[in-house]
Amino acid sequence: MRTLFAGGGLFVKDRPELLQGGELLVDGTTIAAVGAPGELSREPVDRTLDTSGALVLPGLVNTHQHDWYLYGKGLGGDLLLEKWISDCLFPLKAQLTIDDLRLASEVAALDMLRGGTTSSVNHLVNETTLSEEEAILTPVADTGVRQFFAKAIRPGDVASDFANARESFEKWDGFAGGRVRIGFVLEATAHWVAMGTCSEPMVLGGHALAVEKDTFTSSHIAGGTMSRDNGYLKFVLQTGRTDLQFLHRLGVLDDRWILAHTINPRDNDLDLIAASGSTVAHTPSSEAARGGGITPVKRMLDNGIRVAIGTDGPMVDLTNDMVEQLKWTRLLQNQLHHEPASIELAKLITMATEDGARAVRAQDRLGSLEAGKLADIAVFDLATLHASPVHRPLSTFVHAARGGDAKHVMVDGELLLEDGRFTRASELHVTELLRKLGENGRALGRRAGLLPD
């Protein structure tokens, strides 16, 4: 199947003139060519998608997401992070069923797809069996999106030489025609260490396994409040080291780490991140929702650190919208630095695409509109009441567009969203999913003691 995208602006690295209009040709699963208006329209194609009034981007890459958090929307109330973890997250996690995981996986995949996200890192905070992983990953295969499944490794896995993690990697890495890839969660932040979910042998062995399998590792880092009583600062003072110093001293801090949040770097943390080549996964609306502070993204970028974008999960901030995160990122940095252009618009979009692809070690296949890359593409309609008129496409996209403005979304050359409608899921099926999600969510909340019987 050969598809031509024609009429709209293209976000193509080093070719800003294409923002005013261009053409993109997809042949099978890959991008065949990009060009100026009229340059590719003479090529034989099977279909042409009119993208007039739209912006064509690489599919968005969500580098930090918890799929099952859908069930906890609104249940966290006004709790600070530390209290939210103990009183909301852990009670719900303890009561999850396989059916809950299966349903949340499909709804989360469709929700992100509807917002132009083609790839996401599903960071597991709960240990999973092969059966539970099948329940999570089969709906991902059915919806057609990509998932970088980050399996949680815990201290108890050390005795068995990480047999569970190895088994999961060997079974699922490359599943769904390569759309599912496996990495590992090695929780190293002070809060998780205090809860017994981390040990030095776990981090050392888990990282060695990631090196052996040439995959990524993900961890919550330097998050929460800077409280001396129960926040991140308490643990820094008790242990005499930061989260980043902990990883650095173990000799494992390298470019395969996705450092989720990293709200409160201190001492020489930024230098350690920059030297390692690791990636910070910035989740601005989540961090604001929990009152954790404003991540110093501009300082990170100025220090040569790669920063990607994530949504965290709707139990925290009630959204999976990656476009919303771009606006939050820029406005919070503007406020922090008293500068209305704190981060360049093109850089923001690169953070949500190419930098995310690098974080999951897929930059050779994903993250940019280039010939030879896989055809993961999101077309956002800017001819809307809330976005028009469009004078500067990137400014309009970042500040005025919404995830729901995605008009066409393609993964591996297959249109999974066409004219705002799912191609693999009927409206009736989605309606039934949402009904079941409500039932499961209320039942889960009752079992966890967060909703009345």
mmCIF file of all heavy atoms in Angstrom, residues 3-23:
data_model
loop_
_atom_site.group_PDB
_atom_site.id
_atom_site.type_symbol
_atom_site.label_atom_id
_atom_site.label_comp_id
_atom_site.label_asym_id
_atom_site.label_seq_id
_atom_site.Cartn_x
_atom_site.Cartn_y
_atom_site.Cartn_z
ATOM 1 N N THR A 3 0.784 5.335 0.226
ATOM 2 C CA THR A 3 -0.085 6.424 0.692
ATOM 3 C C THR A 3 0.662 7.744 0.577
ATOM 4 O O THR A 3 1.816 7.854 1.004
ATOM 5 C CB THR A 3 -0.497 6.203 2.158
ATOM 6 O OG1 THR A 3 -1.145 4.935 2.284
ATOM 7 C CG2 THR A 3 -1.438 7.312 2.618
ATOM 8 N N LEU A 4 -0.007 8.741 0.016
ATOM 9 C CA LEU A 4 0.564 10.086 -0.088
ATOM 10 C C LEU A 4 -0.184 11.020 0.852
ATOM 11 O O LEU A 4 -1.414 11.115 0.797
ATOM 12 C CB LEU A 4 0.452 10.611 -1.521
ATOM 13 C CG LEU A 4 1.030 12.012 -1.772
ATOM 14 C CD1 LEU A 4 2.544 11.999 -1.639
ATOM 15 C CD2 LEU A 4 0.601 12.536 -3.146
ATOM 16 N N PHE A 5 0.555 11.679 1.743
ATOM 17 C CA PHE A 5 0.018 12.750 2.578
ATOM 18 C C PHE A 5 0.334 14.061 1.861
ATOM 19 O O PHE A 5 1.512 14.375 1.629
ATOM 20 C CB PHE A 5 0.670 12.753 3.958
ATOM 21 C CG PHE A 5 0.366 11.548 4.805
ATOM 22 C CD1 PHE A 5 1.041 10.343 4.602
ATOM 23 C CD2 PHE A 5 -0.573 11.607 5.819
ATOM 24 C CE1 PHE A 5 0.784 9.232 5.384
ATOM 25 C CE2 PHE A 5 -0.844 10.503 6.618
ATOM 26 C CZ PHE A 5 -0.166 9.312 6.394
ATOM 27 N N ALA A 6 -0.680 14.838 1.527
ATOM 28 C CA ALA A 6 -0.435 16.036 0.722
ATOM 29 C C ALA A 6 -1.342 17.182 1.158
ATOM 30 O O ALA A 6 -2.513 16.976 1.489
ATOM 31 C CB ALA A 6 -0.668 15.737 -0.761
ATOM 32 N N GLY A 7 -0.767 18.388 1.166
ATOM 33 C CA GLY A 7 -1.563 19.590 1.406
ATOM 34 C C GLY A 7 -1.255 20.303 2.700
ATOM 35 O O GLY A 7 -1.442 21.515 2.813
ATOM 36 N N GLY A 8 -0.789 19.565 3.725
ATOM 37 C CA GLY A 8 -0.547 20.180 5.028
ATOM 38 C C GLY A 8 0.923 20.435 5.291
ATOM 39 O O GLY A 8 1.793 20.098 4.487
ATOM 40 N N GLY A 9 1.197 21.034 6.441
ATOM 41 C CA GLY A 9 2.576 21.270 6.842
ATOM 42 C C GLY A 9 3.213 20.010 7.395
ATOM 43 O O GLY A 9 2.541 19.164 7.987
ATOM 44 N N LEU A 10 4.519 19.874 7.182
ATOM 45 C CA LEU A 10 5.265 18.734 7.672
ATOM 46 C C LEU A 10 6.314 19.201 8.683
ATOM 47 O O LEU A 10 7.026 20.181 8.430
ATOM 48 C CB LEU A 10 5.996 18.003 6.540
ATOM 49 C CG LEU A 10 5.187 17.474 5.351
ATOM 50 C CD1 LEU A 10 6.124 16.806 4.355
ATOM 51 C CD2 LEU A 10 4.124 16.497 5.812
ATOM 52 N N PHE A 11 6.429 18.495 9.796
ATOM 53 C CA PHE A 11 7.491 18.777 10.748
ATOM 54 C C PHE A 11 8.648 17.852 10.421
ATOM 55 O O PHE A 11 8.677 16.690 10.819
ATOM 56 C CB PHE A 11 7.017 18.554 12.191
ATOM 57 C CG PHE A 11 8.075 18.849 13.218
ATOM 58 C CD1 PHE A 11 8.395 20.158 13.545
ATOM 59 C CD2 PHE A 11 8.762 17.816 13.845
ATOM 60 C CE1 PHE A 11 9.373 20.435 14.489
ATOM 61 C CE2 PHE A 11 9.743 18.079 14.795
ATOM 62 C CZ PHE A 11 10.054 19.396 15.107
ATOM 63 N N VAL A 12 9.594 18.384 9.647
ATOM 64 C CA VAL A 12 10.736 17.610 9.176
ATOM 65 C C VAL A 12 12.014 18.299 9.633
ATOM 66 O O VAL A 12 12.205 19.497 9.408
ATOM 67 C CB VAL A 12 10.733 17.478 7.640
ATOM 68 C CG1 VAL A 12 11.963 16.690 7.171
ATOM 69 C CG2 VAL A 12 9.459 16.793 7.170
ATOM 70 N N LYS A 13 12.864 17.519 10.259
ATOM 71 C CA LYS A 13 14.125 18.037 10.771
ATOM 72 C C LYS A 13 14.921 18.720 9.663
ATOM 73 O O LYS A 13 15.084 18.180 8.577
ATOM 74 C CB LYS A 13 14.925 16.870 11.362
ATOM 75 C CG LYS A 13 16.138 17.272 12.177
ATOM 76 C CD LYS A 13 16.761 16.040 12.803
ATOM 77 C CE LYS A 13 17.940 16.393 13.682
ATOM 78 N NZ LYS A 13 18.521 15.185 14.305
ATOM 79 N N ASP A 14 15.400 19.915 9.963
ATOM 80 C CA ASP A 14 16.259 20.698 9.055
ATOM 81 C C ASP A 14 15.543 21.184 7.799
ATOM 82 O O ASP A 14 16.198 21.674 6.866
ATOM 83 C CB ASP A 14 17.511 19.893 8.648
ATOM 84 C CG ASP A 14 18.348 19.475 9.843
ATOM 85 O OD1 ASP A 14 18.414 20.255 10.814
ATOM 86 O OD2 ASP A 14 18.924 18.369 9.804
ATOM 87 N N ARG A 15 14.220 21.067 7.749
ATOM 88 C CA ARG A 15 13.476 21.592 6.589
ATOM 89 C C ARG A 15 12.267 22.397 7.073
ATOM 90 O O ARG A 15 11.112 22.018 6.849
ATOM 91 C CB ARG A 15 13.049 20.459 5.660
ATOM 92 C CG ARG A 15 14.219 19.700 5.045
ATOM 93 C CD ARG A 15 13.799 18.894 3.837
ATOM 94 N NE ARG A 15 13.301 19.724 2.753
ATOM 95 C CZ ARG A 15 12.847 19.236 1.594
ATOM 96 N NH1 ARG A 15 12.859 17.918 1.383
ATOM 97 N NH2 ARG A 15 12.389 20.038 0.653
ATOM 98 N N PRO A 16 12.514 23.533 7.741
ATOM 99 C CA PRO A 16 11.399 24.328 8.283
ATOM 100 C C PRO A 16 10.454 24.866 7.219
ATOM 101 O O PRO A 16 9.301 25.165 7.532
ATOM 102 C CB PRO A 16 12.122 25.464 9.023
ATOM 103 C CG PRO A 16 13.471 25.549 8.401
ATOM 104 C CD PRO A 16 13.826 24.147 8.032
ATOM 105 N N GLU A 17 10.907 24.962 5.981
ATOM 106 C CA GLU A 17 10.023 25.472 4.927
ATOM 107 C C GLU A 17 8.829 24.556 4.692
ATOM 108 O O GLU A 17 7.770 24.989 4.214
ATOM 109 C CB GLU A 17 10.805 25.662 3.621
ATOM 110 C CG GLU A 17 11.153 24.404 2.850
ATOM 111 C CD GLU A 17 12.408 23.674 3.359
ATOM 112 O OE1 GLU A 17 12.944 24.107 4.396
ATOM 113 O OE2 GLU A 17 12.821 22.682 2.720
ATOM 114 N N LEU A 18 8.963 23.267 5.051
ATOM 115 C CA LEU A 18 7.863 22.320 4.842
ATOM 116 C C LEU A 18 6.727 22.516 5.832
ATOM 117 O O LEU A 18 5.645 21.942 5.650
ATOM 118 C CB LEU A 18 8.382 20.887 4.923
ATOM 119 C CG LEU A 18 9.386 20.462 3.844
ATOM 120 C CD1 LEU A 18 9.748 18.995 4.008
ATOM 121 C CD2 LEU A 18 8.823 20.709 2.448
ATOM 122 N N LEU A 19 6.950 23.329 6.876
ATOM 123 C CA LEU A 19 5.852 23.641 7.793
ATOM 124 C C LEU A 19 4.720 24.372 7.086
ATOM 125 O O LEU A 19 3.564 24.331 7.512
ATOM 126 C CB LEU A 19 6.362 24.492 8.960
ATOM 127 C CG LEU A 19 7.200 23.774 10.008
ATOM 128 C CD1 LEU A 19 7.795 24.778 10.985
ATOM 129 C CD2 LEU A 19 6.357 22.747 10.756
ATOM 130 N N GLN A 20 5.036 25.053 6.006
ATOM 131 C CA GLN A 20 4.010 25.775 5.249
ATOM 132 C C GLN A 20 3.317 24.890 4.219
ATOM 133 O O GLN A 20 2.358 25.314 3.589
ATOM 134 C CB GLN A 20 4.653 26.989 4.551
ATOM 135 C CG GLN A 20 5.357 27.949 5.501
ATOM 136 C CD GLN A 20 4.458 28.426 6.621
ATOM 137 O OE1 GLN A 20 3.280 28.750 6.406
ATOM 138 N NE2 GLN A 20 5.011 28.475 7.840
ATOM 139 N N GLY A 21 3.787 23.679 4.049
ATOM 140 C CA GLY A 21 3.158 22.755 3.117
ATOM 141 C C GLY A 21 4.178 21.797 2.537
ATOM 142 O O GLY A 21 5.314 22.186 2.241
ATOM 143 N N GLY A 22 3.777 20.544 2.399
ATOM 144 C CA GLY A 22 4.689 19.558 1.847
ATOM 145 C C GLY A 22 3.967 18.259 1.571
ATOM 146 O O GLY A 22 2.746 18.149 1.730
ATOM 147 N N GLU A 23 4.729 17.272 1.128
ATOM 148 C CA GLU A 23 4.172 15.963 0.804
ATOM 149 C C GLU A 23 5.035 14.875 1.423
ATOM 150 O O GLU A 23 6.256 15.026 1.559
ATOM 151 C CB GLU A 23 4.096 15.767 -0.714
ATOM 152 C CG GLU A 23 3.152 16.740 -1.395
ATOM 153 C CD GLU A 23 3.089 16.566 -2.894
ATOM 154 O OE1 GLU A 23 3.987 15.902 -3.465
ATOM 155 O OE2 GLU A 23 2.142 17.100 -3.505
#
